[in-house]
Amino acid sequence: MMDTFLKSPQLYARVAGVCYLLIILLGIFGQIFVRGSLIVPGDIATTVNNLALSPMLWRLGIVGDIAMHLLDIPLMVILYLLLSPVHKPIALLALGFNLIQTAVLATNKLALIVPLIMLGAPEYVAAASTEQLNAQIQLLI
């Protein structure tokens, strides 16, 4: 792999650029089109109502976020390959920090699934008052 990389690092740099571009586009989609249209700052009751009415859009946002984290993996490898000839220990340190960051962010996405589970299960809705349910969902999102 290193021989192929040494022959054409520009190709790998272009692939990294495409990964970055896709990450940016997915991030804009998730923040503006999904969370921006469903989450109403300061009004959790409206936010919960929006989530209940558009669970597919919320799921699509979660899938987009996970796709961003999946695109981080080839990006990390390419950046390591590009930067390791310059200073291998720092490139390895950057790779390690990036792996930790991606693992934490991907795990955090699990919390975004819970509001849909809570809203979709009648036993959760019946077990708590509306205010309690709204507060729990606000904490999770």
Side-chain angles (χ1 to χ4, degrees):
M1 170 144 177
M2 194 57 135
D3 292 335
T4 307
F5 173 75
L6 291 174
K7 289 178 186 173
S8 62
Q10 291 87 5
L11 173 66
Y12 288 93
R14 286 188 184 108
V15 171
V18 169
C19 287
Y20 266 131
L21 182 61
L22 290 172
I23 288 169
I24 290 167
L25 292 174
L26 287 168
I28 289 171
F29 170 75
Q31 191 60 36
I32 294 174
F33 295 109
V34 175
R35 288 179 281 282
S37 65
L38 294 178
I39 297 175
V40 179
D43 189 0
I44 191 61
T46 304
T47 300
V48 170
N49 189 41
N50 289 344
L51 283 175
L53 293 175
S54 303
M56 210 55 199
L57 181 61
W58 188 255
R59 285 186 183 103
L60 195 58
I62 294 169
V63 168
D65 289 344
I66 291 172
M68 283 181 1
H69 303 314
L70 289 174
L71 284 167
D72 269 342
I73 296 168
L75 186 61
M76 285 184 262
V77 172
I78 292 169
L79 287 176
Y80 173 76
L81 291 173
L82 286 172
L83 297 174
S84 62
V86 177
H87 198 276
K88 194 169 187 163
I90 291 182
L92 192 58
L93 182 66
L95 177 66
F97 283 143
N98 207 340
L99 280 170
I100 293 168
Q101 170 196 335
T102 301
V104 169
L105 290 173
T107 304
N108 187 39
K109 297 306 176 228
L110 294 174
L112 295 177
I113 298 169
V114 178
L116 293 177
I117 294 170
M118 292 172 69
L119 290 172
E123 59 271 9
Y124 286 118
V125 175
S129 69
T130 304
E131 292 81 20
Q132 290 172 333
L133 187 64
N134 289 352
Q136 289 175 348
I137 290 174
Q138 183 177 19
L139 176 68
L140 291 165
I141 62 171

